[in-house]
Amino acid sequence: MRTHFCGLIDESLIGQTVTLCGWADVARDLGGLCFIDLRDHEGIVQVVAEPEQGVEGNAEVIATAAKVGYEDCLHVTGEVRRRESPNAKIKTGQVEVVARRIEVLNKAEPLPFHAHENPGEDIRLQYRYLDLRTPEMQRKMRTRTKLVQALRRWLDARGFQDIETPILTKATPEGARDFLVPARMHPGEFYALPQSPQLFKQILMVAGFDRYYQIARCFRDEALRADRQLEFTQLDMEFAWVSERDVQDTTEAMIREVFKEVIDVDLGEFPRMTYAEAMRRYGSDKPDLRIALELVDVDAQVKGSEFKVFTDWAGVDGGRVCALCVPGGATLSRKQIDEYAAHAAKYGARGLAYIKLSETGEVSSPIAKFFGDEQFAALVAHVGAGNGDIVFFGAGQYATVSDFMGALRLKAGKDFGLVEAGWKPLWVTDFPMFEWDAEEGRYVALHHPFTAPAVDDVDGLRANARTAVSRGYDMVLNGNEIGGGSIRIHRTAMQSAVFELLGIGAEEAQAKFGFLLDALRYGAPPHGGIAFGIDRIAALMAGTESIRDVIAFPKTTTAQCLMTGAPSPIPDAQLAEVHVAVRPKTAG
């Protein structure tokens, strides 16, 4: 239907006849002279319908143009000429198309919103096809496409094999709740949608495929937020006969080259930092290194004070007392400080102590009275505070304090304009093998149950489970975890021991993971891998906070698709075919 794209019409085509298809972005009737900004996915070009002597059918063209409305679908044939008044804001701004024929392929009814408006997200998602039609959403989605294409080219050129794994699989506990699918041919039994291809890619290493990848769809039935969806896409990779550094060096090179190709950004070398150091300095296992602020431990400086909140936790095993100095923070009002306290409370803080130093050195602090003059001065000096600064303090269990002080660090960095421009990548390594779940009274895997411990000794792992370090690693970029992986357990005895420490008995392990345990018995090679979040990387490349902006048809935070109305009730007859009945919701 067309010879050229609207957004690619340029001066090289002057004097030529072109045929275009697109939507009327703007239509202006000036009384016998009509201008239409015609838009397709490549951009906009100006179409002119004007009276010309000796041009047969010209009056009909003008009449058609005069009736064109916003977002009408058009088919236009005309001659390219140079514009008298160029428009430097668009790629095609040096030329225009003089219409010889205009066909309205489909009239658009009045739209629920215009492209230049900023409607609420619910409206955008309900009319997603209109939202995706806008130039900004087209740009974001094309960035995602370029990302996936670049990743495939890189991997294909280096001998990685693209192998699909099942979507209908066995329910296995991997950290989140499974989506279950009733099996019509097996009454009372269910498939699960994969949380990841984890077990299958390990099986592929046992099978001798050596280097695997897949742009994989994954499903997790968990609470949603801006950076989480029920269904998401990851680049899944696995390598045989590798160490941590082999995986890290290969994938680091890939990400550097892909960022350069897609958005012309040089990420440079990736520094490495242990999990323990990241939590100590930044209160996060995915620290945003663009913010120079760091947490400072003050256990020794507060031990002799009379402030019980501090002394109860200072020097205690599993406790932490630390400070965050915010340069220029003395400008915060009491109301704003209360807002910081409320923000910290979301992450587990029970209160937020502070010291505020005015530009003249005057101290404003609810905790100063609990310290002697020399001790207070030593505390202020230790955290590096000066006139005009504010210092926030946290005390409590190590993990909780790290969480809320890390959250304060991010908020202060953004509020005070301390986020450095550019890109800051990082490898975080040496994660704990387990976390202790006090409510359940058992260990849980920090990564997943198939991550290898740093110690290659079953008895040693059992004896030191609480402090055991794993062979896991994450790639972090600007405070976002964009990839995570590990060296896997490749021996049955070690895998069985890890299951046991996680409270998964031998019978349950065989029922849920028997196929993996069996595979490890038959010469499974050492192997490891990583998975990268395509949605998150695409969002970073496109410059947007929410991954919903780079997913064509995302769910809302209430797990709904507003465009299709999913989820929706299913007729009883259809449910009966899969041997399922819906129980009525009980009160309370």
Side-chain angles (χ1 to χ4, degrees), residues 258-579:
V258 166
F259 264 76
K260 184 65 177 175
E261 177 181 341
V262 177
I263 60 173
D264 196 25
V265 164
D266 184 359
L267 293 177
E269 296 297 320
F270 289 38
R272 281 169 169 75
M273 182 180 298
T274 66
Y275 170 90
E277 182 182 356
M279 297 303 290
R280 176 177 58 81
R281 295 172 61 185
Y282 304 108
S284 172
D285 61 0
K286 50 180 181 181
D288 190 342
L289 300 186
R290 296 174 302 166
I291 301 172
L293 303 179
E294 293 191 22
L295 306 183
V296 179
D297 286 315
V298 295
D299 296 63
Q301 288 71 32
V302 303
K303 264 187 177 180
S305 75
E306 298 178 3
F307 190 43
K308 195 171 185 300
V309 174
F310 285 177
T311 56
D312 281 353
W313 293 101
V316 175
D317 185 34
R320 185 176 197 186
V321 185
C322 70
L324 175 70
C325 179
V326 182
T331 57
L332 291 175
S333 66
R334 181 53 191 266
K335 179 182 178 183
Q336 289 171 316
I337 292 173
D338 288 344
E339 290 172 355
Y340 271 73
H343 184 73
K346 296 176 184 177
Y347 298 86
R350 295 184 177 180
L352 189 64
Y354 66 90
I355 297 172
K356 188 161 73 168
L357 303 172
S358 73
E359 291 291 351
T360 58
E362 183 181 350
V363 175
S364 173
S365 171
I367 65 171
K369 61 187 177 183
F370 297 105
F371 292 81
D373 291 344
E374 289 186 8
Q375 186 184 25
F376 187 79
L379 174 62
V380 171
H382 180 71
V383 300
N387 292 353
D389 299 343
I390 191 169
V391 183
F392 292 114
F393 294 89
Q397 292 185 340
Y398 195 97
T400 303
V401 171
S402 299
D403 283 347
F404 72 73
M405 292 298 285
L408 280 182
R409 174 181 172 270
L410 294 178
K411 178 173 172 57
K414 293 174 182 177
D415 290 351
F416 286 87
L418 302 176
V419 182
E420 181 185 339
W423 302 84
K424 292 285 187 179
L426 173 72
W427 281 108
V428 178
T429 65
D430 300 325
F431 281 79
M433 186 73 183
F434 306 110
E435 290 180 306
W436 180 254
D437 187 328
E439 291 185 9
E440 295 283 338
R442 64 180 182 88
Y443 290 112
V444 294
L446 193 68
H447 265 86
H448 56 59
F450 320 107
T451 298
V455 56
D456 191 21
D457 173 60
V458 171
D459 292 335
L461 177 65
R462 287 195 178 107
N464 301 286
R466 190 175 291 272
T467 57
V469 173
S470 79
R471 299 178 71 181
Y473 38 81
D474 284 354
M475 183 184 287
V476 176
L477 182 60
N478 290 3
N480 297 274
E481 178 198 332
I482 63 171
S486 67
I487 299 301
R488 324 301 188 187
I489 299 168
H490 70 283
R491 296 193 182 100
T492 304
M494 179 63 79
Q495 186 64 77
S496 296
V498 169
F499 285 154
E500 179 187 321
L501 286 165
L502 294 173
I504 302 173
E507 187 175 337
E508 182 184 1
Q510 188 61 39
K512 293 180 176 177
F513 304 106
F515 63 97
L516 174 67
L517 294 172
D518 289 344
L520 297 183
R521 293 188 177 97
Y522 297 108
H527 58 283
I530 193 168
F532 289 95
I534 295 291
D535 309 309
R536 172 48 53 198
I537 297 174
L540 287 169
M541 285 182 163
T544 181
E545 290 289 326
S546 173
I547 63 172
R548 289 195 289 270
D549 285 343
V550 291
I551 297 173
F553 303 104
K555 305 293 188 293
T556 66
T557 52
T558 56
Q560 294 175 295
C561 174
L562 299 182
M563 186 184 75
T564 64
S568 58
I570 300 296
D572 289 342
Q574 191 174 349
L575 290 175
E577 290 180 351
V578 292
H579 320 288

